[in-house]
Amino acid sequence: DTGVSQDPRHKITKRGQNVTFRCDPISEHNRLYWYRQTLGQGPEFLTYFQNEAQLEKSRLLSDRFSAERPKGSFSTLEIQRTEQGDSAMYLCASSYTRGSEPQTTMGYTFGSGTRLTVV
Amino acid sequence: RKEVEQDPGPFNVPEGATVAFNCTYSNSASQSFFWYRQDCRKEPKLLMSVYSSGNEDGRFTAQLNRASQYISLLIRDSKLSDSATYLCVVKAAGNMLTFGGGTRLMVKP
């Protein structure tokens, strides 16, 4: 296990279809994050998990988006009824955190992302 | 107003030049600060953390001014391989990183 893996790397789908992405974090990492990035912008936070618990969701995450991390290991992000505005790079990241993490200076490790194109 | 603001650039500099990027953040409760590097169509990668006392890693120097809520990155002796987008990143008391829009650097021969 050398890093964060995401699958697929690319996905082209027709508007209205459902898509699901998978992320496998670094095995000892207990936190997993999903971000979305559009061209020319920085990554925007979507949601994160600590182990299997989804602890925070952005307002960007509409009802069409759902994320799971059922066993505290890999995670899936599903988008239902895709729209053209959903076209973006979906990035997964993971980190290891102890306790309340008040003074961490560690960043995250990102996967290579899944590039979604909705046509 | 965005939580983390950066000049998008591009900064076009010759090899060997010194270049500086600035970033401002709006949340005074921010606790951790980073610079990430992102190559075209690749994922962001941690370049360096930014400490209150300032820190240096080879040709890269990062500074933090908490009073002004301002972060900087200085690159000395620019290399062609430094061409990338540099993302200013801030972490508040919550657990997610907040990214700026990035500053694009192009180093030319």
Side-chain angles (χ1 to χ4, degrees):
Chain A
D1 186 347
T2 56
V4 178
S5 299
Q6 291 189 245
D7 183 70
R9 292 293 301 275
H10 305 274
K11 179 71 178 178
I12 300 174
T13 191
K14 290 184 179 179
R15 191 173 52 186
Q17 297 295 305
N18 299 344
V19 293
T20 300
F21 311 141
R22 176 179 170 124
C23 172
D24 287 87
I26 293 173
S27 57
E28 60 267 28
H29 284 184
N30 55 354
R31 285 197 178 164
L32 185 149
Y33 311 82
W34 285 100
Y35 280 76
R36 179 173 69 187
Q37 186 175 26
T38 53
L39 198 62
Q41 303 296 316
E44 295 173 300
F45 171 76
L46 293 178
T47 188
Y48 94 94
F49 294 82
Q50 175 147 331
N51 301 314
E52 66 276 8
Q54 187 173 18
L55 296 187
E56 194 162 347
K57 292 196 289 187
S58 162
R59 285 169 291 179
L60 291 175
L61 213 65
S62 76
D63 291 344
R64 297 184 297 106
F65 288 69
S66 62
E68 294 182 344
R69 194 182 183 199
K71 297 181 180 178
S73 56
F74 74 92
S75 175
T76 57
L77 177 67
E78 181 183 17
I79 309 174
Q80 296 182 324
R81 304 181 303 281
T82 51
E83 301 172 358
Q84 287 188 318
D86 297 331
S87 296
M89 174 76 90
Y90 289 83
L91 292 161
C92 176
S94 68
S95 69
Y96 177 73
T97 303
R98 284 182 299 186
S100 59
E101 194 196 4
Q103 300 295 333
T104 184
T105 58
M106 297 304 295
Y108 304 163
T109 301
F110 280 88
S112 300
T114 294
R115 184 169 298 279
L116 173 67
T117 303
V118 182
V119 297
Chain B
R1 182 186 171 190
K2 289 184 178 179
E3 287 189 57
V4 181
E5 299 220 46
Q6 296 181 250
D7 180 343
F11 284 61
N12 295 297
V13 303
E15 268 188 294
T18 295
V19 61
F21 306 138
N22 303 320
C23 163
T24 58
Y25 60 95
S26 60
N27 187 346
S28 59
S30 297
Q31 297 178 341
S32 302
F33 309 89
F34 310 91
W35 283 100
Y36 273 70
R37 170 192 168 129
Q38 187 171 28
D39 293 294
C40 188
R41 303 183 78 84
K42 300 282 190 182
E43 73 275 20
K45 292 186 178 177
L46 179 64
L47 178 65
M48 59 197 301
S49 300
V50 186
Y51 303 118
S52 296
S53 54
N55 50 297
E56 189 174 306
D57 183 1
R59 298 181 292 108
F60 298 82
T61 300
Q63 297 278 353
L64 168 65
N65 184 323
R66 285 186 185 270
S68 302
Q69 295 180 200
Y70 171 97
I71 305 162
S72 66
L73 177 68
L74 183 79
I75 305 175
R76 290 181 299 277
D77 188 23
S78 300
K79 312 290 185 193
L80 295 176
S81 58
D82 293 334
S83 297
T85 295
Y86 290 84
L87 297 161
C88 177
V89 187
V90 169
K91 181 175 177 295
N95 293 290
M96 71 283 194
L97 298 182
T98 301
F99 287 77
T103 297
R104 190 170 171 211
L105 171 65
M106 298 189 67
V107 181
K108 309 225 167 157

